[in-house]
Amino acid sequence: MNMDLKTARAETLQAFSTFWEAGDIAGVIDCFSPDAEYFSSVGPYPGERAKGHAEISNLISRMIAHDRVAKMEILNVQQSRDTAFWTWRYTDQTTAQILGCDLFKFDGAKIALKDAYRKVQA
């Protein structure tokens, strides 16, 4: 993989994380390619699919609202060719932890697919 492209993708992931934590939906959307797909991990429809900036924006606004009381940490970022993977941890006000992971696929330096998975406490 071209080192400049790898660096650009790493910067996209960092921007995504920063915008997500800030609740900046427009900033998050800017990290996606125009025809990107997003598969959610929570909400009224776990696994809900959104395609394109408008649908992804709507989905992200609901997901950010769902997790607004939690502090997010990104862990174990890995890149390979046109994909990336990271694990994450949310800690809420009660110090309960929620764990998950995201799989990303890129189109150039933009995210073309984000597929999210969350551990659920039974």
Side-chain angles (χ1 to χ4, degrees), residues 94-116:
T94 67
T95 68
Q97 292 188 356
I98 301 166
L99 304 174
C101 63
D102 296 331
L103 173 65
F104 298 90
K105 185 169 181 171
F106 290 92
D107 179 6
K110 297 287 188 175
I111 298 167
L113 170 70
K114 181 177 183 288
D115 198 354

Side-chain angles (χ1 to χ4, degrees), residues 36-53:
E37 289 185 275
Y38 189 119
F39 290 90
S40 71
S41 65
V42 297
Y45 311 105
E48 181 178 355
R49 175 185 175 264
K51 184 166 176 66
H53 283 182

Side-chain angles (χ1 to χ4, degrees), residues 34-103:
D35 61 344
E37 289 185 275
Y38 189 119
F39 290 90
S40 71
S41 65
V42 297
Y45 311 105
E48 181 178 355
R49 175 185 175 264
K51 184 166 176 66
H53 283 182
E55 288 182 18
I56 293 172
S57 179
N58 181 287
L59 179 58
I60 286 173
S61 67
R62 288 185 278 133
M63 294 201 51
I64 286 174
H66 180 273
D67 292 319
R68 71 182 172 275
V69 298
K71 167 85 175 117
M72 178 181 71
E73 291 178 82
I74 300 296
L75 311 163
N76 190 31
V77 179
Q78 303 290 320
Q79 277 192 61
S80 177
R81 298 186 189 195
D82 66 344
T83 61
F85 169 88
W86 67 26
T87 59
W88 48 263
R89 173 176 43 223
Y90 280 141
T91 305
D92 70 15
Q93 296 168 329
T94 67
T95 68
Q97 292 188 356
I98 301 166
L99 304 174
C101 63
D102 296 331
L103 173 65

